[in-house]
Amino acid sequence: MFTAISVALWAGICGIDDMSTQMIRRPLLIATVVGLLMGDLQSGLIIGATLEVMWMGIGNVGAYSAPDIISGTAIGTALGILSGGGTATAVALAVPTSLLAQQLLILYRSSIVALNPIAKKWAATGDFSKIFKINAIPMIFVFLIRALPTFLAIYFGADVIETAVKALPEGIMNGLSVAGKIIPAVGIALLMQMMLKKAELWVFLLVGFILAIYLDLSVLPITFIALPFALIYDMASREKVVVANTTEVDEMDEDGGYDL
């Protein structure tokens, strides 16, 4: 009972963070804390790292509501630890759970717009204390959307999940394990597609690949090597913008503009 409540509270807090600062809502931190609460920090770190890479490129774009990585991570990690299935079980449960929670979020976001006329009316009066109070309503809802399903899944689903996992054929579990290794690669590919928009950025990817594969360096030394290159590239980009702006001003002066 205590474990289910504590993990549910943590999921609810992450839900509130999702609509505010968005500092603790990532799978790596969520799963790590869940593992700590459940007395298995190592499994929480491993599952969190896997889900972080898997969902690294996921985000809300426009009216699109992405799968709820908070519920998926909290429930998947908790039941993965309770069932003893580890990362394979966590990934297998996190994906459908995040999709189901996504539907709850869509329903919530479609309903919460009913508060807009009330907020607009209060804003017109200049009484901003009421505006601050009305923000408590969506905070309560996003807390419950994450906390309540998490509590129910952990409190009632642990034994059921464990029985179901033991009943699964070995081939299915092996398939889930393979999927858990493939899906993070898809997440990395989505992130690269978003970030590597300029052709020159692929050079940095090539250098990182060479350092990791041929020089057998780990992530930390590669990061330290990359920092000065990133700084130089940023400074060069800023200098390029300054030169372009200066050239534009000079051309305006030559055409009869005024010197400032």
Side-chain angles (χ1 to χ4, degrees):
M1 173 68 78
F2 175 77
T3 299
I5 293 176
S6 60
V7 174
L9 289 175
W10 170 239
I13 293 172
C14 293
I16 294 176
D17 177 76
D18 187 38
M19 63 172 292
S20 56
T21 58
Q22 296 188 345
M23 296 295 291
I24 60 175
R25 67 185 184 100
R26 297 304 307 176
L28 183 58
L29 182 57
I30 297 173
T32 300
V33 175
V34 171
L36 183 63
L37 292 173
M38 302 188 68
D40 192 348
L41 180 60
Q42 182 177 0
S43 295
L45 285 168
I46 295 173
I47 294 171
T50 302
L51 295 178
E52 179 67 46
V53 176
M54 184 177 76
W55 281 328
M56 190 176 291
I58 284 184
N60 297 325
V61 180
Y64 170 71
S65 181
D68 183 27
I69 61 178
I70 295 175
S71 298
T73 301
I75 295 175
T77 303
L79 295 183
I81 293 175
L82 286 174
S83 64
T87 304
T89 301
V91 171
L93 294 173
V95 174
T97 301
S98 65
L99 293 175
L100 291 174
Q102 177 188 30
Q103 307 308 314
L104 290 176
L105 288 175
I106 292 174
L107 179 62
Y108 152 75
R109 288 166 181 160
S110 301
S111 304
I112 205 67
V113 295
L115 295 176
N116 289 345
I118 301 175
K120 183 177 180 180
K121 181 179 178 180
W122 287 354
T125 64
D127 188 356
F128 290 99
S129 62
K130 293 183 178 180
I131 301 297
F132 295 143
K133 292 178 181 178
I134 203 173
N135 285 330
I137 298 177
M139 290 177 63
I140 293 173
F141 275 103
V142 295
F143 179 89
L144 293 176
I145 287 175
R146 272 54 177 255
L148 189 58
T150 301
F151 173 80
L152 294 176
I154 297 174
Y155 186 72
F156 294 104
D159 294 337
V160 175
I161 293 298
E162 185 176 0
T163 303
V165 169
K166 290 181 178 179
L168 288 175
E170 184 178 354
I172 294 180
M173 291 304 299
N174 291 336
L176 293 176
S177 179
V178 173
K181 297 177 181 178
I182 294 176
I183 294 177
V186 177
I188 288 290
L190 291 173
L191 183 64
M192 289 172 56
Q193 187 178 19
M194 294 170 57
M195 297 183 64
L196 300 180
K197 296 296 184 180
K198 298 181 180 179
E200 62 265 23
L201 295 179
W202 286 92
V203 176
F204 296 102
L205 175 65
L206 179 61
V207 173
F209 179 81
I210 293 173
L211 292 174
I213 301 301
Y214 293 101
L215 297 183
D216 197 24
L217 295 180
S218 61
V219 174
L220 187 60
I222 292 177
T223 301
F224 286 132
I225 294 173
L227 281 175
F229 286 98
L231 179 60
I232 293 172
Y233 178 80
D234 182 67
M235 293 173 63
S237 300
R238 293 172 184 268
E239 185 68 23
K240 184 178 180 181
V241 172
V242 172
V243 171
N245 293 337
T246 303
T247 303
E248 184 178 353
V249 172
D250 292 341
E251 291 177 353
M252 291 178 61
D253 292 339
E254 292 175 0
D255 293 338
Y258 295 98
D259 292 328
L260 298 178

